[in-house]
Amino acid sequence: MSKKVLTSLIGQIVLTSGFQVFTFLFIRSRDWYTPPVIDPDELDITSYENTSLFLLSSFQYILVAAVFCVGPPYRKPLYSNRWLVAALVALSSFSLYTLFMTPDAWTFRLLEFIELPHEFHLELLLIILANVGLCWVFEDAAAQRVAKWIGDAQRKWRRMRGTRKAGGKAYKAISRCVSVLPCCGPLG
């Protein structure tokens, strides 16, 4: 994989993980939060943490799909793929529904959510919007700069250690070797 792709991928993983850790700690800091009672004999997934992280991560999956399909050098603009745009809109709509659905909804019971205060839903929406904005800005403005900086640092490191290959490319190395052979003379 290229430095650009790896930088983008690792950057998105760091941002996604950071927002999840923030949300996990944020919900535990709320006045109304009560820690889950853990029974090792019974599988119980209902907790404030699970509910809030599920809601956040459902948007993060959609975000990653949108962020990684945009822009040069490999991909066409997002709007040119109508099926993907339709899927992103449908999934975003469903995720918004799950974020603001009432506790008496059948999907609320199916997903085994815990009821969260309405103001927390709004705060979670702000966290999601911040996540979207930061990931998009990173991908659009910072990922290529960071990849270039890493490439420059690698070149400097190789030069300092003396491990940099002269010319770098195989065809250049072959051309140099052939040019010093007595039968070939300098290649021009």
Side-chain angles (χ1 to χ4, degrees):
M1 289 187 127
S2 73
K3 281 186 275 305
K4 280 192 242 183
V5 174
L6 281 175
T7 301
S8 176
L9 184 62
I10 292 169
Q12 294 299 334
I13 289 170
V14 167
L15 288 170
T16 298
S17 301
F19 274 94
Q20 287 183 1
V21 168
F22 174 79
T23 301
F24 180 82
L25 296 174
F26 182 66
I27 196 162
R28 288 176 155 236
S29 72
R30 310 313 294 166
D31 298 339
W32 43 262
Y33 171 78
T34 55
V37 177
I38 299 173
D39 180 6
D41 298 327
E42 187 178 322
L43 178 63
D44 185 19
I45 62 168
T46 57
S47 70
Y48 288 113
E49 293 93 338
N50 284 351
T51 299
S52 60
L53 289 174
F54 178 86
L55 292 168
L56 174 67
S57 65
S58 65
F59 282 96
Q60 287 178 327
Y61 290 126
I62 299 164
L63 171 63
V64 167
V67 163
F68 282 133
C69 74
V70 176
Y74 309 110
R75 300 155 299 240
K76 293 180 181 177
L78 178 64
Y79 60 82
S80 67
N81 189 340
R82 291 184 182 129
W83 287 108
L84 179 62
V85 170
L88 293 175
V89 167
L91 291 169
S92 296
S93 299
F94 181 74
S95 293
L96 274 171
Y97 165 74
T98 60
L99 179 61
F100 292 107
M101 69 183 161
T102 58
D104 60 338
W106 68 272
T107 48
F108 189 90
R109 291 186 303 278
L110 176 71
L111 296 172
E112 298 184 37
F113 282 173
I114 285 186
E115 186 175 357
L116 299 166
H118 182 68
E119 69 269 2
F120 184 76
H121 288 273
L122 297 174
E123 293 167 341
L124 193 55
L125 180 61
L126 291 175
I127 292 169
I128 290 165
L129 292 174
N131 190 182
V132 169
L134 201 55
C135 286
W136 211 276
V137 166
F138 174 78
E139 194 65 30
D140 198 39
Q144 289 187 2
R145 289 184 181 130
V146 172
K148 184 180 179 326
W149 179 82
I150 290 170
D152 293 344
Q154 283 179 323
R155 279 189 292 284
K156 288 177 185 175
W157 176 253
R158 286 186 197 126
R159 284 184 190 134
M160 285 177 17
R161 289 183 33 216
T163 57
R164 186 176 189 279
K165 298 174 190 169
K169 303 289 181 190
Y171 72 90
K172 289 182 180 179
I174 293 170
S175 176
R176 276 191 308 279
C177 289
V178 170
S179 68
V180 296
L181 293 175
C183 64
C184 299
L187 296 175

